[in-house]
Amino acid sequence: MTPGPGGRPTALSTLLFCHGLGVNTVALPLLALHHGHGAAAVGVLVAISGCGQIGIRLLVARWAHRLTERGLILAAAALLCLSSALVLPLPALWVFVLASLVQGVARGIFWVGVQAHVVRSVPEPRRALAMVDFVGGIGLVTGPATISLVGGSLHAALVLGIGTSAVAALPALRLTRLPLPPPEKAAGQVWAVWRHPVLRPPVLAAISTGTWRGLLGSYVPVVLAAAGYSASAVGLLVGLGSATSIAGSMLAGIAPPRRLGPLYVSGAVAAGAGLAGIGLWPGQLPVTVVLLLASGVGAGMLQTLCTSLAAQAVEPAERGRVVADVGTYRAVALLVSPLGIAALLPVFPPGPAMALVGAVAAVPALRRPPPTGGRPPVGRADGRPDG
């Protein structure tokens, strides 16, 4: 599996950015808990990050004909540095709110920029997307592991994360310049993709991966900390979940087309069952490790499949916009999943509440995708006829 055009700069930017993001997504909720803001506040903070992602994705989809992928990646690196820096001097709740919002904007525009560049650079993007997910997963593993390497100091880990996020801007300067899509291709409605039958499986997969990623960065650390694990152990366990998602992405990238349907279904079941199991049995370390392994592999497979199936379902000129549109559903799940847990907390403890919401990640298993991700019978991704 080799990188496509501009693959090395894209891969290096992704690795460095995701390292900083991995530090940020684990350190923010743990630091908020350390300063007494409570489990419900953590869910709200992650939901705010999801709001930032949704809003920026909608804007990017609207202005895709004016924004370059390189500009999006550079802006994302700067914003992630800002998010991590905001919480260092002041632990007030409003600062965590602002940092979470900036983090959501940063990760939203970064993934739009990187994925749009990949799918517009190669004819068949599944293997190239798997490579991006692979290096991104490495960054999301090494980021949380940094917390353990610095002795559990969340402030020191955030400082290191700021450094790697800043360096992520340098490889982006070498990205190949691609022609911008025409304005009419950027004017589609995000929610219209659901009306197209071929785009429903990638949308459901995006919802599943958003649920998994949202909980891994919010209530999984909360539940594990409540079960008695130290901050260092929580960082390592969350990093383990991200590490196994790398294997899932690689598996989806190298699998033959006839195996994509079974991978899609099994990935959804593993992601949902893993999250539910962690919520119910967090105190048993062997069980927790196995569940993190299973859910990570499943979510990794769906992460690669949702983007590649969406890109292959439309004409090449529409790929960038459709990838941004489908990613918006992932951001919605990232928003709704922690909010759902926060709403259940008055009735259920955090663990059972996470089990109920995490089971949503298994919903894509109810629908089998087309095995090859062929293009739809009409020319537009929103289901309207050409012309």
Side-chain angles (χ1 to χ4, degrees):
M1 187 181 298
T2 57
R8 287 189 179 87
T10 303
L12 188 53
S13 284
T14 301
L15 174 65
L16 295 169
F17 180 89
C18 287
H19 179 276
L21 182 62
V23 173
N24 186 287
T25 54
V26 176
L28 285 189
L30 291 179
L31 198 58
L33 288 174
H34 176 74
H35 289 293
H37 295 306
V42 169
V44 173
L45 291 175
V46 177
I48 289 171
S49 175
C51 285
Q53 282 202 68
I54 294 169
I56 198 64
R57 283 179 177 273
L58 292 173
L59 288 175
V60 169
R62 182 181 179 88
W63 296 99
H65 59 293
R66 297 181 181 271
L67 302 173
T68 66
E69 287 109 5
R70 182 170 66 175
L72 292 173
I73 295 172
L74 292 175
L79 289 171
L80 185 59
C81 290
L82 177 62
S83 173
S84 297
L86 283 171
V87 297
L88 291 176
L90 189 62
L93 181 60
W94 70 267
V95 178
F96 282 95
V97 170
L98 181 58
S100 298
L101 180 63
V102 173
Q103 179 217 80
V105 173
R107 69 197 300 173
I109 61 177
F110 179 82
W111 285 115
V112 169
V114 166
Q115 291 176 340
H117 187 80
V118 170
V119 300
R120 297 202 306 129
S121 298
V122 294
E124 203 288 305
R126 181 161 54 96
R127 290 175 180 261
L129 287 168
M131 178 59 68
V132 168
D133 291 337
F134 171 74
V135 296
I138 292 176
L140 292 174
V141 171
T142 57
T146 302
I147 299 174
S148 177
L149 294 176
V150 295
S153 172
L154 299 176
H155 285 81
L158 282 170
V159 170
L160 292 176
I162 291 171
T164 54
S165 301
V167 177
L170 299 179
L173 298 174
R174 300 177 53 210
L175 286 180
T176 304
R177 290 182 177 271
L178 300 174
L180 293 173
E184 62 270 16
K185 297 296 184 181
Q189 296 181 357
V190 169
W191 312 119
V193 300
W194 179 257
R195 297 204 301 264
H196 203 296
V198 182
L199 287 175
R200 286 174 193 161
V203 165
L204 287 173
I207 292 172
S208 181
T209 57
T211 300
W212 182 82
R213 184 61 67 182
L215 297 189
L216 190 71
S218 60
Y219 281 102
V220 168
V222 169
V223 168
L224 293 177
Y229 297 99
S230 66
S232 297
V234 171
L236 288 174
L237 287 170
V238 171
L240 176 65
S242 293
T244 54
S245 72
I246 301 173
S249 295
M250 296 297 289
L251 182 60
I254 64 176
R258 68 180 183 278
R259 302 301 303 168
L260 298 186
L263 284 178
Y264 179 96
V265 174
S266 60
V269 171
L275 287 174
I278 293 167
L280 295 176
W281 301 289
Q284 303 177 35
L285 181 60
V287 175
T288 300
V289 170
V290 170
L291 292 172
L292 280 169
L293 289 172
S295 67
V297 170
M301 291 191 294
L302 290 182
Q303 178 174 313
T304 296
L305 289 177
C306 76
T307 307
S308 62
L309 287 174
Q312 289 182 288
V314 299
E315 298 295 331
E318 295 192 47
R319 284 183 170 184
R321 178 181 64 81
V322 167
V323 165
D325 290 347
V326 170
T328 303
Y329 287 86
R330 183 177 186 268
V332 169
L334 192 72
L335 162 67
V336 172
S337 56
L339 277 183
I341 295 177
L344 291 173
L345 287 180
V347 182
F348 296 98
M354 191 184 86
L356 289 172
V357 174
V360 173
V363 168
L366 302 177
R367 183 182 181 89
R368 190 181 182 92
T372 59
R375 288 182 184 168
V378 293
R380 296 178 61 92
D382 58 11
R384 290 177 286 169
D386 285 329

